[in-house]
Amino acid sequence: MAADIEQVTRLQSLDLKIAELEREVATLPKHVAQIEKALDAHLRRLEADRAALTANQKERKRLEDDAKVESQKISKLKDQMLGAKTNEQYRAFQHEITFCEDSIREAEPLDANVKKAEVALKEEKQSVEAEKAQARERTAVDQKQLEELRGERKTLVAALKPQTLRDYERIRKKWHGTVVAEASDGRCGACQIVLRPQFFQDLRHSDELMFCESCGRILHYNPPVSFEQDLAAHQ
């Protein structure tokens, strides 16, 4: 009995770990596809900005010429401001200089937006490549572990009694992986249904696998450990 329970419990542990790794391996390519999709969207936006900039060369040239004119105006206004005789004249010159500086700044976003987007895209590409490398490494590790676990499972299955294996697979399919449940305090640890007193007594002393009368899982009786026993076990 102890050997049977130990085998099916180990098999359940293997199957749960295998399922977890399989989910992770299946998820990683999806994650990579998502970050590549986001990168592609950013690339398309940058190309659109570049196209707009190229198409706007005439306007860009006009704004650049305007900026040169405004810069010359500012230089002259600063010279004139030195000769201002009243506060009103000084403030007037200052106001006109501010207006010219604002005009110059209007031309700046044309190139700045594209340059900023190019820098951001370069950084994002590096980040995406790093994530893809990590995903590939994680997948390789998972695949290696899966191979080892599947080999161990194959060996364990070969050692199981045919009927025990059939019962195990039937229950695993029904409950999506949870086959063995601990029975303590007179309850099934999985479905939490109270076991019949006689059934519970039989379980404590049975040499055969027993199944929960409610959920059908294989029950494993785990006797309570007293404080003294627990203390002795750790000494």
Side-chain angles (χ1 to χ4, degrees), residues 27-38 128 131-133 135-136:
T27 299
L28 287 171
K30 295 177 182 177
H31 173 65
V32 170
Q34 287 176 344
I35 59 177
E36 286 183 333
K37 185 177 180 181
V128 167
E131 283 195 65
K132 287 167 67 176
R136 285 192 292 268

Side-chain angles (χ1 to χ4, degrees), residues 35-93:
I35 59 177
E36 286 183 333
K37 185 177 180 181
L39 179 63
D40 187 56
H42 292 172
L43 181 59
R44 287 198 301 271
R45 283 199 295 272
L46 175 59
E47 291 302 328
D49 287 342
R50 285 173 175 165
L53 185 61
T54 301
N56 207 9
Q57 289 296 327
K58 290 182 179 180
E59 178 66 10
R60 181 184 177 197
K61 182 66 169 62
R62 184 188 68 76
L63 288 173
E64 288 174 349
D65 290 342
D66 287 349
K68 290 177 183 177
V69 171
E70 296 298 333
S71 295
Q72 293 170 355
K73 275 188 185 180
I74 289 172
S75 180
K76 291 178 181 179
L77 287 167
K78 285 182 177 179
D79 290 339
Q80 293 173 357
M81 192 166 64
L82 294 175
K85 293 183 170 49
T86 64
N87 287 335
E88 287 76 12
Q89 286 180 328
Y90 183 87
R91 283 194 291 271
F93 283 128

Side-chain angles (χ1 to χ4, degrees), residues 120-136:
L121 184 65
K122 182 179 179 181
E123 292 174 353
E124 188 173 0
K125 279 183 177 179
Q126 292 173 342
S127 176
V128 167
E129 288 304 317
E131 283 195 65
K132 287 167 67 176
Q134 289 176 355
R136 285 192 292 268

Side-chain angles (χ1 to χ4, degrees), residues 44-204:
R44 287 198 301 271
R45 283 199 295 272
L46 175 59
E47 291 302 328
D49 287 342
R50 285 173 175 165
L53 185 61
T54 301
N56 207 9
Q57 289 296 327
K58 290 182 179 180
E59 178 66 10
R60 181 184 177 197
K61 182 66 169 62
R62 184 188 68 76
L63 288 173
E64 288 174 349
D65 290 342
D66 287 349
K68 290 177 183 177
V69 171
E70 296 298 333
S71 295
Q72 293 170 355
K73 275 188 185 180
I74 289 172
S75 180
K76 291 178 181 179
L77 287 167
K78 285 182 177 179
D79 290 339
Q80 293 173 357
M81 192 166 64
L82 294 175
K85 293 183 170 49
T86 64
N87 287 335
E88 287 76 12
Q89 286 180 328
Y90 183 87
R91 283 194 291 271
F93 283 128
Q94 194 172 45
H95 177 74
E96 193 166 353
I97 288 172
T98 301
F99 180 80
C100 292
E101 289 173 341
D102 289 341
S103 298
I104 292 173
R105 279 193 290 270
E106 288 179 5
E108 292 175 354
L110 284 169
D111 280 333
N113 287 343
V114 172
K115 289 177 180 177
K116 184 177 179 182
E118 287 175 340
V119 171
L121 184 65
K122 182 179 179 181
E123 292 174 353
E124 188 173 0
K125 279 183 177 179
Q126 292 173 342
S127 176
V128 167
E129 288 304 317
E131 283 195 65
K132 287 167 67 176
Q134 289 176 355
R136 285 192 292 268
E137 290 174 7
R138 182 72 250 175
T139 299
V141 171
D142 287 351
Q143 292 286 15
K144 183 178 179 181
Q145 192 173 359
L146 272 172
E147 185 178 345
E148 293 171 355
L149 292 175
R150 286 167 178 159
E152 186 177 347
R153 186 185 196 278
K154 185 177 180 180
T155 301
L156 185 56
V157 164
L160 278 177
K161 297 173 185 176
Q163 184 57 51
T164 300
L165 180 59
R166 285 193 292 271
D167 288 333
Y168 175 88
E169 295 294 359
R170 171 179 53 79
I171 299 167
R172 185 164 76 107
K173 183 178 180 180
K174 179 181 179 181
W175 293 112
H176 308 291
T178 307
V179 178
V180 182
E182 184 179 296
S184 59
D185 297 326
R187 292 178 179 271
C188 169
C191 67
Q192 296 299 314
I193 298 298
V194 176
L195 304 173
R196 290 185 298 106
Q198 185 58 52
F199 180 90
F200 188 58
Q201 287 301 317
D202 292 342
L203 176 66
R204 294 175 60 186

